[in-house]
Amino acid sequence: MLSARACLGRVLLLPRAGAGLAASRRGSSSRDKDRSATVSSSVPMPAGGKGSRPSSTPQRVPNRLIHEKSPYLLQHAYNPVDWYPWGQEAFDKARKENKPIFLSVGYSPCHWCHMMEEESFQNEEIGRLLSEDFVSVKVDREERPDVDKVYMTFVQATSSGGGWPMNVWLTPNLQPFVGGTYFPPEDGLTRVGFRTVLLRIREQWKQNKNALLENSQRVTTALLARSEISVGDRQLPPSVATVNSRCFQQLDEGYDEEYGGFAEAPKFPTPVILSFLFSYWLSHRLTQDGSRAQQMALHTLKMMANGGIRDHVGQGFHRYSTDRQWHVPHFEKMLYDQAQLAVAYSQAFQISGDEFYSDVAKDILQYVTRSLSHRSGGFYSAEDADSPPERGMRPKEGAYYVWTVKEVQQLLPEPVLGATELLTSGQLFTKHYGLTEAGNISPSQDPKGELQGQNVLTVRYSLELTAARFGLGVEAVRTLLNTGLEKLFQARKHRPKPHLDSKMLAAWNGLMVSGYAVTGAVLGQDRLINYATNGAKFLKRHMFDVASGRLMRTCYTGSGGTVEHSNPPCWGFLEDYAFVVRGLLDLYEASQESAWLEWALRLQDTQDRLFWDSQGGGYFCSEAELGAGLPLRLKDDQDGAEPSANSVSAHNLLRLHGFTGHKDWMDKCVCLLTAFSERMRRVPVALPEMVRALSAQQQTLKQIVICGDRQAKDTKALVQCVHSVYIPNKVLILADGDPLSFLSRQLPFLSTLRRLEDQATAYVCENQACSMPITDPCELRKLLHP
């Protein structure tokens, strides 16, 4: 995997797609890149010439994307390209006029998507080529993850990687025959320009169309065979001991001892890996490997939090680090990263007791509350990487987030009293956060020179070392640094802000409900749980169709802060159901409000109806009807920047079985894990979240039942005790004594559990056997974490 800056302009032309299909798939997800300068083709193409530079005057006549809701599509609404949104109108035109389809997929805050738009899609000549010789289709990958996954599978299988923008040429029947990612506009010494690629494909379509169609059909057939995930002849999933151990070993081999993380560069947060390591530690905590797993996860989280990938001024985490040290980030901020990292840092606090981790979790949620929250309770998708350094200037990557030493010194000129040398607050701040006069960003990470002389804040020393360096007390240094960060934050408010992708996705809102619910429960903060509750209410009010029981995929911020939908609505995909169900289960455990559990059960029933593969097992990513015409119907088998929806569904099914006792959901979970057996055996590191589900299924979940009044202090004390302990394989149930309550009707055994001496009482149940009653939180903690 290469950094965006390292692989800029690298283009590879492959003679045929079949060779790429034989290569093994990577453990890293295509979601972990927003660009990759590769192109793959199913036939050889002759050379072409250079294209002209982009026009400096943008076309001001809108194309048909002006009628879309997606912020990403609207960014292209004034390109001199005859863009179509994904849909039948474009497909019919391609068939009627016998033209290839040019499909371009990206997302709103993607830096390299902006680059290609500016360099190529605003170019008048390239616009004419795309409009006259192709049917050009723009897709927001976040609106249509099914389209993205299908053609990313082709690009990854036929080239050395994937990423965004993703550009694929299709037959009128939607079968891919050439694919790539970012293309520079012109030819270079080692790269082929976008205009050249268009001319080659135009020529091949005219002269060798039958060969293109045959090769396209061959590629599609190979991809179908290669992407099939099915139970087959297997009766049961693999042994957890073998798969667990192999997954840990694969992570251990790739671990960076010095800086944490699991690659050289670029480095991604990948919370699914950290979650696996914590779970592995719990089941192996008396062994050397268990201690090693804990150390790897905690060290990685600490190095990330100290690095430039974290926004020390405004909180939250950037998308990834372009270097090994977590120093210079790719600056976009994604909602799904904030959601998962809040949970990871909360779990780190549960395990270590170190408030450093809980402080980071609270900071993440402070950022989301301030910058990514709709007033009705929903959560926006992302903030851009690029912004103008000053109003009216061309946007540059990271401009909002970087600082010069001069700026910091001007903002923090006060002398520091009590230091062993003459010192200003700015000098102390500069030392602690590693700022230099020349800038602390390497030219190799800044090929366009946009960040010259600038600095990314990264913690270079502990508070204790900085205090010792200047003869100050630790608390005095903490106060000085916090005051400095606040002053920088206030100054940054006057800069032009990065673009906000105000689209709201059901899946990512589900993850964010989990983020607030889990963190609020672990830290005992009702305020955070209330944000989770408001998020769930938003989903039910604005993204759920009561009549059909279906989720909608997207909604958008309208004028005056209203909520709007596309017409027709974009219906939910598997990940929308899986992530929302997880969020609702986490919210029930945090709030003990059974209405959220009831809705989770209803959504799971709908998910099973729409996506379950009754022949092969597991869930398809999209409804059959919604993806009509696409050459593949896939089951996502990669836990990457986001967990696979099948991995999350395996956990959800286990938890729902624990909450209800319904055998069908346990059977489905076993069938799903069996379908993914070969993938888990071969490359378990590609599915760490599913390996965790396999462990939970084979080790059985604990049912922790609290008998008591939800509002009573003694009940809350027992509930908080459960949340303070890291127990990933559990369901927490409140039994309020009402025989007609939802949970009492699901689990009849709850009526046999009694309060001891009229006090709130806990029972820990496993394999249909329950512990003795416990009323003391300390005794409960000992039982849960011996």
Side-chain angles (χ1 to χ4, degrees):
M1 189 184 294
L2 299 173
S3 79
R5 296 172 173 87
C7 74
L8 182 61
R10 179 170 166 266
V11 176
L12 175 65
L13 290 177
L14 300 181
R16 37 186 319 116
L21 290 169
S24 64
R25 292 184 63 179
R26 296 176 170 209
S28 59
S29 167
S30 67
R31 297 178 188 191
D32 293 345
K33 298 181 181 180
D34 66 6
R35 82 295 140 258
S36 166
T38 57
V39 58
S40 54
S41 165
S42 54
V43 291
M45 293 189 289
K50 288 187 176 182
S52 63
R53 292 192 176 276
S55 166
S56 59
T57 306
Q59 172 85 359
R60 297 313 300 168
V61 177
N63 55 54
R64 56 180 55 77
L65 297 184
I66 197 69
H67 303 297
E68 297 299 306
K69 299 285 188 186
S70 158
Y72 176 67
L73 298 186
L74 289 171
Q75 286 171 358
H76 294 77
Y78 287 92
N79 294 162
V81 178
D82 188 20
W83 287 118
Y84 284 78
W86 181 266
Q88 199 59 48
E89 184 184 4
F91 311 151
D92 290 344
K93 177 181 172 70
R95 290 177 189 128
K96 181 181 178 182
E97 299 180 10
N98 196 18
K99 290 179 179 177
I101 293 169
F102 168 65
L103 171 67
S104 184
V105 182
Y107 59 106
S108 176
C110 162
H111 172 71
W112 292 99
C113 301
H114 299 329
M115 290 292 295
M116 192 160 178
E117 192 224 353
E118 180 182 315
E119 294 171 341
S120 294
F121 300 144
Q122 290 182 18
N123 181 302
E124 297 282 352
E125 184 179 356
I126 287 176
R128 276 195 300 274
L129 277 171
L130 286 171
S131 302
E132 293 172 4
D133 298 308
F134 304 89
V135 176
S136 297
V137 175
K138 252 294 166 197
V139 167
D140 183 335
R141 75 170 180 103
E142 294 161 0
E143 283 188 328
R144 292 301 301 256
D146 56 333
V147 174
D148 181 54
K149 284 186 178 79
V150 164
Y151 295 111
M152 188 65 76
T153 298
F154 166 76
V155 171
Q156 287 183 309
T158 56
S159 74
S160 60
W164 297 278
M166 176 177 67
N167 299 293
V168 185
W169 286 262
L170 318 175
T171 69
N173 291 324
L174 306 185
Q175 293 183 338
F177 60 90
V178 175
T181 50
Y182 165 81
F183 292 92
E186 301 178 9
D187 294 350
L189 291 174
T190 59
R191 60 187 189 177
V192 180
F194 186 54
R195 179 177 175 276
T196 297
V197 173
L198 291 175
L199 292 172
R200 293 184 186 187
I201 292 172
R202 181 180 71 177
E203 184 178 345
Q204 288 296 302
W205 186 258
K206 289 176 180 176
Q207 297 183 359
N208 298 304
K209 183 165 60 178
N210 288 338
L212 276 176
L213 295 174
E214 288 172 12
N215 274 279
S216 177
Q217 183 60 52
R218 192 177 301 121
V219 169
T220 303
T221 302
L223 285 173
L224 274 168
R226 186 168 172 267
S227 62
E228 184 180 4
I229 293 170
S230 174
V231 169
D233 298 330
R234 292 179 288 271
Q235 300 298 313
L236 292 169
S239 160
V240 68
T242 303
V243 173
N244 234 347
S245 177
R246 184 173 296 169
C247 188
F248 169 76
Q249 293 300 330
Q250 288 177 341
L251 289 171
D252 192 25
E253 288 166 9
Y255 181 66
D256 183 338
E257 296 285 353
E258 189 172 359
Y259 295 103
F262 301 90
E264 283 296 312
K267 279 187 173 173
F268 297 85
T270 325
V272 288
I273 289 177
L274 303 172
S275 185
F276 166 81
L277 289 172
F278 284 147
S279 184
Y280 188 86
W281 160 77
L282 188 66
S283 56
H284 297 78
R285 64 183 183 277
L286 300 179
T287 69
Q288 189 173 348
D289 282 354
S291 298
R292 170 72 168 163
Q294 182 197 51
Q295 179 265 330
M296 286 195 292
L298 291 178
H299 180 56
T300 297
L301 285 167
K302 186 154 279 190
M303 296 304 289
M304 283 168 44
N306 285 333
I309 190 175
R310 181 185 177 195
D311 179 2
H312 296 275
V313 173
Q315 296 86 39
F317 279 78
H318 300 294
R319 178 71 280 272
Y320 63 82
S321 171
T322 62
D323 54 70
R324 181 187 165 206
Q325 294 84 4
W326 304 106
H327 177 201
V328 181
H330 185 53
F331 289 91
E332 69 201 59
K333 289 181 176 179
M334 308 300 295
L335 182 69
Y336 59 77
D337 283 324
Q338 317 310 321
Q340 295 177 89
L341 285 170
V343 172
Y345 279 98
S346 299
Q347 291 173 337
F349 171 66
Q350 283 179 310
I351 290 165
S352 69
D354 186 343
E355 290 186 0
F356 172 88
Y357 298 107
S358 59
D359 287 345
V360 177
K362 286 185 284 189
D363 274 2
I364 292 169
L365 298 183
Q366 182 182 344
Y367 161 69
V368 173
T369 302
R370 184 185 69 243
S371 299
L372 294 180
S373 293
H374 188 275
R375 67 185 187 185
S376 298
F379 304 104
Y380 304 131
S381 295
E383 282 193 306
D384 211 320
D386 299 7
S387 61
E390 295 179 21
R391 299 193 190 283
M393 294 180 67
R394 175 184 171 276
K396 294 183 178 181
E397 186 178 13
Y400 188 67
Y401 300 102
V402 293
W403 303 88
T404 64
V405 166
K406 183 179 178 182
E407 285 176 304
V408 173
Q409 300 288 18
Q410 288 174 342
L411 288 167
L412 308 175
E414 307 86 358
V416 176
L417 301 178
T420 53
E421 60 187 79
L422 288 175
L423 182 71
T424 66
S425 294
Q427 288 168 330
L428 174 79
F429 192 94
T430 295
K431 185 73 172 177
H432 187 77
Y433 287 105
L435 280 63
T436 69
E437 293 280 356
N440 65 9
I441 300 168
S442 165
S444 64
Q445 294 167 291
D446 182 28
K448 293 203 164 187
E450 292 183 333
L451 300 172
Q452 201 168 16
Q454 301 286 343
N455 293 272
V456 173
L457 269 59
T458 180
V459 176
R460 289 296 170 88
Y461 306 100
S462 66
L463 288 172
E464 290 77 10
L465 281 174
T466 298
R469 166 71 176 78
F470 297 111
L472 297 167
V474 170
E475 287 309 312
V477 169
R478 189 194 309 274
T479 300
L480 285 165
L481 293 173
N482 286 341
T483 301
L485 289 171
E486 177 60 24
K487 287 185 176 180
L488 265 64
F489 177 70
Q490 294 302 327
R492 205 172 75 175
K493 284 182 177 179
H494 298 288
R495 296 177 175 179
K497 286 198 71 175
H499 167 74
L500 174 71
D501 187 336
S502 59
K503 175 176 72 270
M504 290 171 275
L505 302 173
W508 296 2
N509 272 251
L511 289 176
M512 204 65 242
V513 168
S514 286
Y516 275 104
V518 171
T519 305
V522 169
L523 302 185
Q525 294 196 3
D526 290 341
R527 179 179 60 87
L528 299 180
I529 297 171
N530 288 339
Y531 281 118
T533 301
N534 291 337
K537 288 178 178 177
F538 178 89
L539 282 163
K540 195 161 191 180
R541 187 183 307 119
H542 294 291
M543 307 190 80
F544 177 62
D545 181 64
V546 177
S548 65
R550 293 165 79 192
L551 285 171
M552 297 176 203
R553 168 70 174 173
T554 59
C555 63
Y556 308 85
T557 303
S559 58
T562 57
V563 177
E564 297 181 348
H565 296 87
S566 56
N567 187 21
C570 183
W571 295 108
F573 297 91
L574 174 63
E575 64 185 41
D576 296 298
Y577 289 84
F579 295 177
V580 170
V581 168
R582 172 193 269 188
L584 295 173
L585 297 181
D586 288 337
L587 180 54
Y588 166 73
E589 293 198 353
S591 67
Q592 287 83 53
E593 293 184 16
S594 62
W596 302 123
L597 187 56
E598 292 184 58
W599 190 31
L601 265 66
R602 183 177 177 189
L603 288 178
Q604 187 65 51
D605 283 334
T606 305
Q607 176 182 320
D608 293 348
R609 173 169 55 85
L610 296 176
F611 304 101
W612 180 254
D613 179 4
S614 55
Q615 274 78 47
Y619 293 97
F620 290 110
C621 293
S622 58
E623 295 182 44
E625 293 78 12
L626 195 62
L630 286 172
L632 305 172
R633 192 181 182 205
L634 298 172
K635 298 174 188 173
D636 195 5
D637 62 351
Q638 188 88 29
D639 292 324
E642 302 161 64
S644 155
N646 270 289
S647 297
V648 173
S649 294
H651 285 279
N652 291 345
L653 292 165
L654 278 175
R655 294 172 75 182
L656 287 167
H657 175 261
F659 281 121
T660 65
H662 293 180
K663 184 175 180 294
D664 178 57
W665 279 330
M666 177 59 79
D667 292 343
K668 271 191 167 64
C669 177
V670 172
C671 185
L672 186 158
L673 294 169
T674 304
F676 285 85
S677 289
E678 186 57 33
R679 181 77 163 146
M680 283 194 284
R681 279 198 191 97
R682 191 164 48 87
V683 204
V685 74
L687 281 169
E689 187 71 6
M690 190 171 288
V691 174
R692 240 179 29 89
L694 179 69
S695 299
Q697 187 269 323
Q698 295 191 8
Q699 294 167 8
T700 71
L701 267 69
K702 287 183 171 71
Q703 291 169 307
I704 303 173
V705 183
I706 311 292
C707 299
D709 177 357
R710 184 163 71 94
Q711 300 300 334
K713 286 185 178 179
D714 55 354
T715 303
K716 290 182 176 181
L718 289 174
V719 167
Q720 188 55 43
C721 172
V722 175
H723 288 311
S724 72
V725 182
Y726 176 69
I727 323 165
N729 302 336
K730 62 109 171 65
V731 293
L732 174 61
I733 297 169
L734 180 72
D736 60 7
D738 179 3
L740 299 178
S741 71
F742 175 74
L743 276 165
S744 293
R745 285 181 280 120
Q746 301 293 322
L747 297 170
F749 84 90
L750 294 180
S751 63
T752 67
L753 304 179
R754 297 281 183 262
R755 302 186 198 188
L756 200 63
E757 299 176 355
D758 207 30
Q759 297 180 69
T761 306
Y763 297 86
V764 180
C765 306
E766 259 181 296
N767 295 320
Q768 299 181 323
C770 293
S771 69
M772 296 294 289
I774 301 167
T775 57
D776 181 3
C778 293
E779 290 299 314
L780 177 58
R781 185 177 177 86
K782 288 178 186 175
L783 180 63
L784 294 174
H785 192 51

